[in-house]
Amino acid sequence: MSQLKDIAIIGAGVAGLALAIFARKQGITVTIYERNQEISTIGAGITLWPNAIFVIKQLGVLATIEELSGKPEFIRQFDQFFTMQGELDIKEINEHCQLPSLTILRRDLMKVLAERANALGAEFKFDHQIEQHDIDGLMQTHDLVIGCDGRMKSASRDKLFENKPLPVYQGFINIIGISQLANEQLDHAIEDYRGQQQRFGIVPIKSGLCYWAAAWPASLDKKRPVDDWYHEMHQRFQHWPNQVKQVLSSYNINSLNRIFVHDIDPLPYWHKSNLIVIGDAAHAPLPTSGQGACQALEDAWHLMQTLTTDALLDDQLTSFYQQRIAKVTAAQMAGRSVAKHIFSTTEQPSVSFSNISAEQLSSLWMQGLVSKPEVNR
């Protein structure tokens, strides 16, 4: 049982909601401060690999998540002419991990986590933009303050560092969206198309529903109208394989979002006193890592496991950082490496999974995850 009685969570994203659930199951009073007026649904979808499913299971929401999710069986990589370049058997990964891999719309995942946190008695304070000057007050009134306030503008991260670490633009954009196809054209396979410094990924869920991302190198031009970027996307991918064209002819226009893709450099620490950052605020990776939400979920589980020890709070938080830094940094570096292969003018597009077996990948993802008895509420 944790010695903490009252915590504040800044940000109701994946990490914040998961942490709230774990904390409430330990009987800790939880207040979540969220800048938006409701739970954010920004983002198209998330692939929950077995390491994320391990945490989802501990949260007590696996059955609900499975009902809303797809179960991909393969990742297939193609060039822009629909020539297959490689295949990864997801079923084999799942067998090694003894857990499934699931694909879900982000809005559905967020809804399930928020409802679970609310049912357990977490208090939500929406429309609360927490700035640096607010954090001192939170640190005085709560046993622990956890910053889960994202990669781009994190007041909690800025509070930790005199020289504020800035997100690093990695030179490419993602346009993401959700499409409803007429039939099961994707065959339970994640499809990854690469060529000429461009990438188009399609992730199936169920019944023709899928989410996708189109990416290419671009200058950081925030003044250019968003519709111009969408028009460029159609121009760039108009002669790509039929699967890409079908997705681009059937998306929900309200699901589109243009993202200038940033990550952050590894940080030397994540806490001072009773303030700590986790998730994207601490170690945001590129989407090419495939592990952003997965590592945020892991953070929530690991932090609560560490906080149940008898050590002093500072020692607990230092131990948490030491447990996590190598794994999350590896995910960050893997994301940068894949992006370099795809978008660099000097690199040839490569099969990102060509040199690693399903067994090796499973071992890497499940590192540090060991089931412990649950505290049920």
Side-chain angles (χ1 to χ4, degrees), residues 75 93 117 128 140 184 225 307 309 336-337:
I75 301 177
I93 293 174
H128 270 67
Q140 292 173 10
E184 289 284 352
L307 292 173
T309 67
R336 287 184 178 183
S337 177

Side-chain angles (χ1 to χ4, degrees), residues 191-225:
E191 297 183 353
D192 181 15
Y193 298 86
R194 302 183 187 180
Q196 298 178 343
Q197 295 181 265
Q198 298 169 109
R199 182 193 196 191
F200 201 102
I202 306 172
V203 182
I205 299 178
K206 58 174 64 177
S207 303
L209 183 67
C210 66
Y211 63 91
W212 50 267
W216 65 89
S219 60
L220 187 57
D221 183 1
K222 294 184 178 180
K223 294 182 179 180
R224 181 182 178 189

Side-chain angles (χ1 to χ4, degrees), residues 4 78 94 117 122 170 216 228 252 254 259 261 278 305 309 315 340 346 374:
L4 300 175
F78 304 89
N94 297 344
Q170 293 297 334
W216 65 89
D228 283 2
N252 178 343
N254 294 322
I259 301 169
V261 182
I278 69 172
Q305 295 297 313
T309 67
D315 293 337
K340 180 180 178 182
T346 60
E374 270 193 278

Side-chain angles (χ1 to χ4, degrees), residues 141-183:
T141 56
H142 298 272
D143 296 333
L144 181 63
V145 179
I146 305 101
C148 308
D149 43 353
R151 76 181 64 203
M152 296 305 294
K153 184 184 178 184
S154 168
S156 51
R157 183 176 64 228
D158 289 347
K159 181 70 175 176
L160 292 178
F161 296 93
E162 184 175 344
N163 296 320
K164 298 175 176 51
L166 297 175
V168 181
Y169 181 51
Q170 293 297 334
F172 68 98
I173 66 163
N174 258 2
I175 294 178
I176 59 175
I178 300 169
S179 294
Q180 178 65 64
L181 304 182
N183 51 53

